[in-house]
Amino acid sequence: MPDTKKHEKYDMILDALQQLLTEKKIQNISVSEIAQKAGIGKGSIYYYFPSKDAILDALIERSYETPLHTAKNLAAQTDIAPFTRMAMLFQACRNSSTAFIKENNNSPDNASAQDLAFLHHKYLTHVISELKPALTEIIKQGIESGDIHFDSPAALAEIVLIVLAVKLDNSLLPSTPDEIEETVQGLIALLEKGTDIEQGTLSYLSLTPYE
Amino acid sequence: MPDTKKHEKYDMILDALQQLLTEKKIQNISVSEIAQKAGIGKGSIYYYFPSKDAILDALIERSYETPLHTAKNLAAQTDIAPFTRMAMLFQACRNSSTAFIKENNNSPDNASAQDLAFLHHKYLTHVISELKPALTEIIKQGIESGDIHFDSPAALAEIVLIVLAVKLDNSLLPSTPDEIEETVQGLIALLEKGTDIEQGTLSYLSLTPYE
DNA sequence: AACCATACTTGACCAACGGTCGAAAAATGT
DNA sequence: ACATTTTTCGACCGTTGGTCAAGTATGGTT
């Protein structure tokens, strides 16, 4: 069965990159290094991937496969309150958010933090665009059920996603946990008042402390 | 006078890069090429800049120097209504927003659009972090004058800046002008209702069509 | 003028990179 | 047993970002 076997190696390469990303920045990871970590020859990498960038793309996609899948399923769970689902959706994402993005790099790497820029960019693009339909659907149902009052569910979904994803990512505006909390609380307040949601409903959105 | 002279060459290098960016993507622009365009030797580049990345950083910084400066001044103009200043602040930025970011690249370059990711990332980081203090100040004054009702001016400023900057940049979520308009209108509605602003005050924020 | 220290310029050079390639080696089919 | 396809590989290539020793201009001091 060439299909599963191909996926085996494919995943091994992604595993290798994922592991290396916990130690170094991508710019400092060479294709040879990935190959070495994966235990295969450098040439083989290019049998499975067209370019180095494509490996990263695939890794990001794989990382969010599960949370995005569950997020999309959430949209169908009409028995749960819309904003509870919304909170669950984000919690599902948070788990894998910084899995391979090491912000606090301990290595004395002289490279600037901007090196990771395109990784973050890809992450943000991926999460926001993939989650928007699901969140839009949830909000739509909230509007229909009378829990939320707002004219444009798509716009609201996008606003919420952009703010939360950007703050969650914490690369555009590096912030302390307190500052993140402040912005999130601000967003909650704005949402509750701006969409006539019962106060406190959105407290689920508050990011629980970690680490 | 070594100071002005140094700035001369310094700017010549930035000019060269800026010009090249209208033709090619950064990844495909070599340092030698920049040097050639600037009419100097490659080695001299590294007399003025520590790295290739630093040139790009400097160019971005230079590009937003003026609009950011005027934006900061706006915060002091207490005689204008807060949200009018807010709108002016953004209009000032829009002009130079995509000056050197050629989205519609005509060259048959095979590189993916993601190549520009870190440029956009830098742009967003720069604009949001630089504008946040000014906007926070404006909102604070709006709260004091009773025009705006909100607890956390900093959080509100950040929310607005994140949403608008991301949508304005249009690289995280490539959208049609109509879609951008919808999100902006949604943000306006959310803000007006969520902060007890007189309806219509924020219509200035609506991005005027262009091109 | 002669001198000198500092500021600036340069292109050959280097190590390292992403990516290619032809050939070898597994794997598979018959 | 052979033939064909799939997979593996590392030497190799062109190019890159960055270094450097050697050079040239500049301008002050005597």
Side-chain angles (χ1 to χ4, degrees):
Chain A
M1 233 181 253
D3 213 41
T4 63
K5 212 171 182 184
K6 191 155 189 172
H7 253 54
E8 254 173 47
K9 283 275 173 74
Y10 188 90
D11 278 333
M12 279 172 65
I13 295 169
L14 295 186
D15 289 342
L17 177 57
Q18 184 159 21
Q19 198 177 338
L20 283 169
L21 276 170
T22 66
E23 308 164 4
K24 293 171 150 204
K25 296 166 180 170
I26 321 135
Q27 301 266 16
N28 299 335
I29 298 173
S30 67
V31 176
S32 326
E33 217 167 344
I34 299 171
Q36 197 179 349
K37 192 74 146 189
I40 61 176
K42 177 184 170 183
S44 299
I45 295 275
Y46 288 90
Y47 182 76
Y48 294 98
F49 296 94
S51 71
K52 183 189 178 184
D53 254 32
I55 311 175
L56 189 60
D57 277 331
L59 177 58
I60 292 176
E61 207 138 331
R62 191 185 71 167
S63 297
Y64 292 96
E65 226 169 49
T66 311
L68 284 180
H69 188 255
T70 63
K72 283 170 187 166
N73 282 355
L74 271 178
Q77 303 267 359
T78 51
D79 53 327
I80 309 176
F83 274 101
T84 305
R85 276 183 279 160
M86 189 168 145
M88 288 167 67
L89 178 152
F90 265 86
Q91 285 294 344
C93 265
R94 278 192 64 238
N95 302 334
S96 48
S97 71
T98 51
F100 49 90
I101 300 178
K102 288 288 162 185
E103 205 68 61
N104 306 327
N105 207 315
N106 47 353
S107 72
D109 236 318
N110 60 335
S112 79
Q114 297 284 12
D115 275 346
L116 290 166
F118 66 97
L119 204 163
H120 287 284
H121 195 96
K122 279 179 185 173
Y123 158 72
L124 288 174
T125 299
H126 196 74
V127 167
I128 295 177
S129 63
E130 289 291 313
L131 251 45
K132 188 185 167 186
L135 184 55
T136 303
E137 192 55 37
I138 290 176
I139 291 176
K140 249 184 202 156
Q141 292 164 6
I143 293 173
E144 279 169 19
S145 69
D147 291 323
I148 304 170
H149 297 90
F150 204 75
D151 283 340
S152 173
L156 188 58
E158 200 161 279
I159 291 167
V160 171
L161 279 172
I162 289 173
V163 174
L164 284 181
V166 166
K167 284 307 277 186
L168 236 158
D169 173 67
N170 204 25
S171 82
L172 281 178
L173 303 166
S175 318
T176 65
D178 282 350
E179 287 170 327
I180 296 177
E181 186 64 21
E182 189 187 348
T183 303
V184 172
Q185 289 301 333
L187 181 64
I188 290 174
L190 189 65
L191 284 175
E192 288 185 339
K193 200 168 174 191
T195 65
D196 294 331
I197 297 166
E198 193 184 341
Q199 284 234 340
T201 313
L202 294 182
S203 55
Y204 286 99
L205 264 181
S206 180
L207 308 178
T208 50
Y210 60 106
E211 188 198 17
Chain B
M1 233 178 251
D3 212 43
T4 63
K5 213 172 180 183
K6 190 156 189 172
H7 254 51
E8 254 174 47
K9 284 275 174 75
Y10 188 89
D11 279 332
M12 280 172 66
I13 295 169
L14 295 187
D15 289 341
L17 177 57
Q18 184 160 20
Q19 197 177 337
L20 284 168
L21 275 171
T22 66
E23 308 164 4
K24 293 172 151 205
K25 295 167 181 169
I26 320 135
Q27 302 266 16
N28 299 334
I29 298 173
S30 69
V31 177
S32 325
E33 215 166 346
I34 299 172
Q36 195 180 349
K37 194 73 147 189
I40 61 177
K42 176 185 170 184
S44 298
I45 295 275
Y46 288 91
Y47 182 77
Y48 294 99
F49 296 93
S51 71
K52 183 189 179 185
D53 252 34
I55 312 174
L56 189 60
D57 277 332
L59 177 58
I60 291 177
E61 207 137 331
R62 191 185 72 168
S63 297
Y64 293 97
E65 226 168 48
T66 311
L68 284 181
H69 188 254
T70 63
K72 284 169 187 165
N73 282 357
L74 271 179
Q77 304 266 358
T78 49
D79 53 328
I80 308 175
F83 275 100
T84 304
R85 278 183 278 160
M86 190 167 144
M88 288 166 67
L89 178 152
F90 265 86
Q91 285 294 344
C93 265
R94 278 192 64 238
N95 301 334
S96 48
S97 71
T98 50
F100 49 89
I101 301 178
K102 288 288 163 185
E103 205 67 61
N104 306 326
N105 207 314
N106 46 354
S107 72
D109 236 318
N110 60 336
S112 79
Q114 296 284 12
D115 273 348
L116 289 167
F118 67 97
L119 206 162
H120 287 283
H121 195 95
K122 279 179 184 174
Y123 158 72
L124 288 174
T125 298
H126 197 74
V127 167
I128 295 177
S129 63
E130 289 292 312
L131 251 44
K132 188 185 168 187
L135 185 54
T136 302
E137 192 55 36
I138 290 176
I139 292 176
K140 250 184 202 157
Q141 291 165 6
I143 292 173
E144 279 169 19
S145 71
D147 290 323
I148 303 169
H149 297 89
F150 204 75
D151 283 340
S152 173
L156 187 58
E158 200 162 279
I159 290 168
V160 171
L161 279 172
I162 289 174
V163 173
L164 284 181
V166 166
K167 284 306 277 185
L168 237 158
D169 173 67
N170 204 24
S171 81
L172 281 177
L173 303 165
S175 318
T176 66
D178 282 349
E179 288 170 326
I180 297 178
E181 186 64 22
E182 189 187 349
T183 303
V184 172
Q185 290 301 332
L187 180 64
I188 290 175
L190 189 65
L191 283 176
E192 287 185 340
K193 201 168 174 191
T195 65
D196 294 331
I197 298 167
E198 194 184 340
Q199 284 234 340
T201 313
L202 295 182
S203 55
Y204 286 99
L205 264 180
S206 180
L207 308 179
T208 51
Y210 58 107
E211 186 198 18

